[in-house]
């Protein structure tokens, strides 16, 4: 339906002007390839929301065109929305072994059984309709990450995925710069590249530097060592295990997602611990403190994670003891600074020694800084460039970087989610847009919480609620019971009895007034009560609770 | 009453294990001196709270002993609680000219007229009962900051206040290191020192370096320059004015607190702009863009501040235009990272160029780093040391720093708010504690919002609310009207009609069951309704709204 223009379309459905929810559509004639399928964590004002997934209306409408969802790596912001999306459009999924191992785990948890998961390897190519997807080794803070080259009839599109260039990677292959160079030499139509760290000069340090810090710390530690990090950072976990082995310590794994990832990545061969190194948490007490290392979740101060539970003496199987050395091997994701700081304070108070990023090199980023980005741009030499994976400030800065390297501004597209970029061998233009945006997930409800509900939650959270109930006689509108006033989240009722008495009097007066004026229609009655009470409370105490007048008729 | 022990007491009522709400009691026999009187901004979980002030029960009980409140400088976390505290204990206040200028402004706003404000100068001493307070020039991110030496019969107590050591201060005198040295040579009983930046190695850069950056930026800017900074950072404002004058630009001041501070500090001689430099915002259009500088509030992304309004096209008198250069001359206070980032994104999207800390040296801290702290410790050589102004991690780190400099651990006290440190010439011990803590201010209510109210606000904010109203006959408990169900912040009612219908049926069934079993007592009825509805909703949609059953009797 509609005329088929012979061009490639690039449509980001998420991941632009935000860090998270990565999902990009590549479309050519009757074929669609979807790259990644991630969630984003809710903004502060999305009260009560669990996660946010992309709007996939466009994909549902073009279901029959979709050849595959292709994954770059196994982070939540790239795979987290799969269980929701596969429920609506069950298409084949392609990804590397670890990525799909993590996906499988996630699908089982959500009870999805009929997914088609195809394991691929770097260097391999997959023909998907009129396009061919090629997987290229990339370095990132999770093993088995790939960049993609999508070979279309109009030219190759290179998508870096999340990456850094690590010349000394752990247990893994280095970013395949040669292949990027090769593609660049042959001509690349468009580059989509990670913008997360574009504000940082220089290069991101190798993951290996963290291992060196671990070794230094482990060498002199006298008590237990507890290391908190991202569960998915398997290389980090490997380095902790390596340091433990080197300094004769057993390893205990704690926290649900850490246990999961360690299991999956060990099974698939991404994590290697000598027999007997990893012990059960219940056997920990059989060893002296200086022979124990604990690897745990909670590096973001998440209240339910193992480290936070330890810090607040709320862990079922462990207790912090003075002399414990805690390493927080992570940096707070923006928005988590205060929760992380709270956990650090609690740990110190309990007598632990705490080492975190401000004090030692116990973390490196998984994203490329300016010099690495320049290298990729220079190797790939794309005709067109679309910065991705970043807030506007990052996309903007990345566009500037490309321009500084000599690209024409007209060939750089700072896009928005939902915008449609049409590309041919010698042209590119943004042409219209399709539906995109945030779908809020709250419990089992998907999309049933929107602006009105959030506005009410905000109102309730700030000043609480007053319910006014009155029963009136159907025939004559006379009050036969009430007004009763119930408040929640407003004031300590016991210490504010006078205020509540006065409030009741205000409502009674309004109702009398209405009765006198023979006002019986409910909406007028309700708004009179609401207005009078709101004015009274604001004057009295400068607060503005939600007021819910309810009229019952008998 | 009670025996008078001849020792000095140091009692922090706030400012420990937190950054904010600074207030410390120094007590000797019948005399109390209070140092500072600040607020702290509410934590995220203190929903709807405006500000938090210290619990001053102890001061109210010992009102007649209090000789003065002595202020170190004019920041909110040191003076913000004065309007609340002076209402309860009207004692003389001592501070430098600018500090009291800002206090006066604040008291007028809150309608407090009978305060006794005594202006003092660095070098001056004030006899307060058995103690003498001496004011010592300090450098900080606001002019006219002082450190204090409190000379007690048991020895001198030095309180640094907030400080950094700036060898090239703007418009002001340098930290009086000689006086610190002199005091140290004569013997200091105890040192209380700022711990904010103790995690940072090296020294904080001079405020002057920011001026140099401004000059570089102003030199090449072609459009308007908009600089957002903390209103109270008068030296920063002075440097912006200097750069504007140097490069032939007029200055517009925007934002309520910026206008206030510029007025007060100009009147008092702390800010100096050549005649005609500062122009009215309404005259801005008389000048070409490259002759305009705008100094504004909003460097923390506060939604109501001028910069945020500009970014969201919500400013009454100004609009952002492409070509504007915005400098955010501040660092986000922990917790504000995301709001600041949001404003930066909006500004970029509107076509402005934005310069912030990640991109250029447009901000320096007002607090001392490790090398400066070491210098003060080494000059003052106190017998006892109490780290202040920091979270536990900072206090702990500062204690470590003192120990590394050779102090005995036993002479270092990591205290808690409310703890009482008793000191004599040759001993010091923590002996008991007095009431302390957070008093939450919400609108005009002070302390009437506590844990139960906050817990309810949290519950309401996460899953909203369902009110169930039913009217029953007094005589026989028969339902005569209802059940009516009203929800807020729960689901889009229009799209969830089935769910709400089912919910009503659940309630009806429970009520029938109760009627059948002749259950008429209200609390059983209510809890039956609540339990049934809660279970139903959780099973159905995995949410847990607050459920308020209300029974009316006729």
């Amino acid at each position: 339906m509609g005329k088929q223009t012979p061009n490639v379309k690039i449509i980001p459905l998420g991941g632009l002007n935000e860090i998270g929810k990565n999902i990009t559509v590549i479309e050519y004639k009757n074929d669609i390839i979807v790259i990644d399928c991630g969630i984003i964590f809710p903004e502060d004002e999305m009260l009560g929301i669990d996660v946010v997934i992309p709007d996939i209306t466009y994909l549902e409408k073009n279901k029959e065109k979709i050849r595959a969802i292709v994954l770059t790596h196994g982070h939540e912001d790239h795979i987290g929305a799969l269980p929701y999306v596969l429920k609506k459009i069950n298409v084949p999924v392609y990804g590397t072994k670890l990525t799909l191992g993590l996906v499988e785990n996630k699908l089982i948890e959500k009870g999805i059984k009929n997914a088609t998961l195809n394991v691929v390897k770097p260097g391999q190519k997959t023909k998907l309709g009129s396009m061919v997807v090629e997987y290229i080794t990339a370095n990132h803070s999770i093993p088995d990450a790939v960049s993609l080259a999508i070979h279309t009839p109009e030219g190759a599109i290179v998508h870096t995925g999340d990456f850094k260039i690590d010349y000394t990677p752990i247990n893994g292959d280095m970013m395949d710069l040669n292949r990027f160079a090769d593609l660049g030499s042959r001509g690349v139509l468009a580059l989509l590249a990670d913008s997360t760290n574009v504000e940082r000069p220089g290069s991101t340090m190798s993951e290996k530097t963290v291992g060196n810090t671990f070794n230094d710390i482990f060498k002199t530690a006298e008590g237990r060592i507890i290391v908190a990090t991202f569960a998915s950072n398997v290389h980090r976990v490997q380095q902790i295990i390596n340091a433990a082995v080197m300094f004769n310590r057993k390893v205990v794994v704690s926290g649900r997602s850490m246990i999961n990832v360690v299991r999956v990545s060990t099974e698939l061969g991404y994590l290697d611990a000598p027999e007997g190194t990893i012990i059960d948490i219940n056997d920990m007490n059989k060893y002296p403190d200086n022979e124990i290392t604990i690897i745990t979740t909670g590096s973001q101060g998440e209240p339910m994670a193992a480290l936070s539970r330890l810090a607040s003496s709320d862990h079922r199987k462990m207790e912090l003891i003075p002399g414990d050395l805690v390493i927080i091997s992570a940096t707070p994701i923006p928005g988590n600074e205060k929760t992380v700081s709270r956990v650090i304070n609690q740990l110190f108070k309990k007598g632990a020694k705490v080492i975190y990023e401000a004090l030692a090199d116990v973390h490196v980023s998984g994203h490329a800084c300016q010099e690495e980005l320049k290298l990729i741009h220079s190797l790939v030499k794309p005709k067109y460039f679309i910065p991705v994976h970043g807030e506007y400030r990052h996309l903007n800065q990345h566009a500037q970087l490309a321009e500084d390297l000599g690209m024409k501004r007209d060939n750089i597209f700072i896009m928005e989610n939902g915008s449609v970029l049409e590309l041919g061998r010698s042209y590119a233009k943004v042409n219209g847009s399709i539906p995109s945006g945030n779908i809020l997930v709250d419990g089992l409800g998907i999309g049933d919480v929107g602006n009105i509900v959030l506005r009410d939650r905000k109102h309730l959270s700030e000043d609480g609620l007053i319910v006014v109930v009155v029963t009136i006689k159907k025939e004559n509108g006379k009050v036969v019971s009430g007004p009763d006033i119930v408040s929640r989240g407003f004031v300590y009722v016991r210490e504010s009895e006078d205020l509540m008495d006065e409030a009741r009097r205000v409502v009674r007066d309004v109702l009398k007034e209405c009765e006198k004026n023979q006002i019986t229609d409910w909406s007028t009655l309700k708004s009179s009560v609401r207005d009078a009470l709101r004015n009274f409370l604001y004057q009295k105490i400068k607060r503005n609770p939600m007021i819910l007048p309810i009229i019952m008729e008998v």
Side-chain angles (χ1 to χ4, degrees), chain A:
Chain A
M1 220 187 70
K3 79 166 195 271
Q4 294 285 357
T5 48
N7 52 30
V8 188
K9 290 184 186 136
I10 298 178
I11 315 173
L13 280 179
L16 299 191
N17 299 314
E18 61 189 351
I19 292 192
K21 203 162 99 331
N22 295 286
I23 175 168
T24 307
V25 172
I26 309 287
E27 185 171 349
Y28 184 79
K29 290 189 176 169
N30 272 314
D31 301 312
I32 282 178
I33 297 169
V34 180
I35 301 176
D36 289 332
C37 190
I39 56 155
I40 188 167
F41 291 103
E43 296 287 314
D44 287 348
E45 64 271 19
M46 297 177 184
L47 294 166
I49 298 303
D50 301 327
V51 300
V52 179
I53 59 174
D55 182 335
I56 55 158
T57 310
Y58 184 76
L59 296 180
E60 290 181 78
K61 274 196 188 148
N62 293 281
K63 220 187 247 190
E64 75 295 339
K65 282 190 177 183
I66 307 174
R67 303 292 156 244
I69 298 175
V70 181
L71 304 173
T72 59
H73 62 284
H75 279 153
E76 284 297 312
D77 57 334
H78 293 257
I79 67 167
L82 269 181
Y84 304 96
V85 170
L86 289 182
K87 257 187 205 161
K88 302 210 163 181
I89 43 169
N90 190 3
V91 296
V93 178
Y94 292 80
T96 54
K97 196 163 63 169
L98 181 63
T99 304
L100 291 187
L102 295 171
V103 166
E104 203 171 11
N105 207 47
K106 183 175 292 296
L107 295 179
I108 290 168
E109 274 179 8
K110 298 274 179 184
I112 293 172
K113 284 164 193 158
N114 57 345
T116 315
L117 306 182
N118 303 290
V119 173
V120 295
K121 278 188 184 166
Q124 193 176 326
K125 292 177 185 178
T126 311
K127 183 155 170 54
L128 295 166
S130 53
M131 294 179 272
V132 172
V133 174
E134 175 186 354
Y135 312 91
I136 307 167
T137 302
N139 298 130
H140 189 39
S141 46
I142 185 169
D144 239 10
V146 288
S147 301
L148 303 173
I150 295 118
H151 300 277
T152 80
E154 297 292 316
I157 298 170
V158 173
H159 191 308
T160 63
D162 292 10
F163 82 102
K164 65 189 273 186
I165 297 171
D166 194 336
Y167 296 100
T168 54
I170 311 301
N171 284 2
D173 296 323
M174 207 199 120
M175 183 114 187
D176 189 353
L177 295 177
N178 297 59
R179 185 57 193 151
F180 281 92
D182 195 30
L183 287 163
S185 304
R186 288 157 196 266
V188 167
L189 181 63
L191 171 68
L192 292 81
D194 181 358
S195 311
T196 316
N197 272 352
V198 69
E199 289 176 352
R200 300 197 198 165
S203 299
T204 300
M205 290 289 94
S206 170
E207 177 64 28
K208 198 160 245 172
T209 59
V210 179
N212 296 336
T213 309
F214 286 158
N215 292 347
D216 290 346
I217 296 173
F218 275 59
K219 196 183 293 176
T220 57
E222 288 169 0
R224 297 191 304 185
I225 300 177
I226 300 166
V227 192
T229 191
F230 297 104
S232 60
N233 198 331
V234 178
H235 290 151
R236 189 71 49 85
V237 174
Q238 181 70 64
Q239 296 200 90
I240 301 166
I241 291 174
N242 293 351
V245 171
M246 190 184 301
F247 296 99
N248 192 33
R249 288 172 180 260
K250 299 292 177 189
V251 172
V252 172
V253 180
S254 164
R256 199 175 65 97
S257 63
M258 189 62 81
I259 291 168
N260 262 337
V261 173
V262 166
R263 183 182 51 72
V264 171
S265 51
T266 304
E267 279 169 17
L268 299 180
Y270 291 88
L271 195 63
D272 183 36
E275 186 76 28
T277 303
I278 296 181
I279 61 168
D280 192 275
I281 194 167
N282 296 310
D283 294 334
M284 190 160 56
N285 293 331
K286 296 181 186 162
Y287 300 86
D289 291 343
N290 64 0
E291 291 180 16
I292 291 291
T293 300
I294 299 160
I295 304 179
T296 177
T297 53
S299 66
Q300 293 301 309
E302 311 93 317
M304 305 306 284
L307 186 68
S308 311
R309 287 181 181 276
L310 259 180
S312 58
S313 300
D314 194 25
H315 196 290
R316 278 186 313 121
K317 305 208 161 180
M318 268 193 277
E319 240 183 306
L320 211 69
I321 47 180
D324 279 349
L325 172 66
V326 179
I327 303 173
I328 298 182
S329 178
T331 198
I333 293 170
N336 293 347
E337 293 83 355
K338 290 183 92 169
T339 50
V340 173
S341 195
R342 194 178 295 185
V343 170
I344 292 175
N345 288 324
Q346 286 174 318
L347 292 168
F348 270 128
K349 270 192 205 166
K350 288 225 148 52
K353 205 180 153 194
V354 192
I355 299 181
Y356 41 101
E357 218 189 354
L359 307 181
D361 298 329
V362 289
H363 179 68
V364 294
S365 170
H367 298 274
C369 293
Q370 287 167 4
E371 295 308 307
E372 294 157 272
L373 294 171
K374 288 180 194 167
L375 174 55
I376 290 298
H377 280 265
S378 302
L379 292 176
V380 173
K381 300 185 209 312
K383 189 162 177 64
Y384 301 105
F385 170 55
I386 303 107
V388 297
H389 208 281
E391 298 176 16
Y392 191 85
R393 57 195 273 188
H394 306 114
L395 306 182
N396 185 71
Q397 206 69 23
H398 203 172
Q400 187 60 51
L401 180 142
E403 206 181 340
D404 291 347
L405 290 174
M407 272 196 97
K408 273 188 283 184
R409 191 78 204 190
D410 287 349
N411 288 5
I412 302 169
F413 293 87
I414 299 183
M415 293 182 67
E416 307 220 332
N417 294 333
S419 285
V420 179
L421 182 67
E422 294 183 350
L423 291 153
R425 290 185 176 277
S426 57
Y427 71 93
K429 65 168 190 291
V430 172
N431 192 3
S433 67
I434 56 147
S436 72
N438 292 329
I439 305 292
L440 311 188
V441 179
D442 181 4
L444 295 183
I446 299 173
D448 64 344
V449 170
N451 288 335
I452 297 173
V453 173
L454 290 179
R455 199 189 56 201
D456 283 349
R457 286 185 185 174
K458 181 159 199 290
H459 189 173
L460 289 165
S461 77
E462 284 174 352
D463 283 322
L465 159 93
I466 291 187
V467 184
V468 182
V469 191
V470 56
T471 307
I472 59 174
K473 198 92 191 156
K474 207 179 295 183
E475 300 86 70
N476 54 16
K478 273 217 154 87
V479 174
V480 290
S481 179
D484 277 14
I485 292 190
V486 179
S487 86
R488 286 292 185 279
F490 175 54
V491 289
Y492 264 146
V493 176
R494 285 208 189 143
E495 289 175 13
S496 309
E497 280 177 7
D498 292 354
L499 182 74
M500 297 311 277
D501 283 347
E502 276 189 79
R504 215 165 283 120
R505 193 157 53 239
V506 167
V507 175
R508 258 200 297 270
D509 290 350
V510 178
L511 291 171
K512 264 188 210 144
E513 192 69 19
C514 287
E515 202 179 314
K516 213 172 73 187
N517 298 329
Q518 302 193 307
I519 292 166
T520 54
D521 94 281
W522 284 22
S523 82
T524 314
L525 263 179
K526 283 185 183 177
S527 63
S528 306
V529 167
R530 197 183 286 120
D531 292 350
L533 198 51
R534 183 195 292 132
N535 291 339
F536 165 74
L537 292 173
Y538 191 75
Q539 212 180 358
K540 202 72 186 175
I541 193 170
K542 289 262 188 297
R543 285 184 211 166
N544 183 23
M546 180 182 282
I547 298 173
L548 269 187
I550 300 177
I551 297 173
M552 303 290 286
E553 245 179 12
V554 291

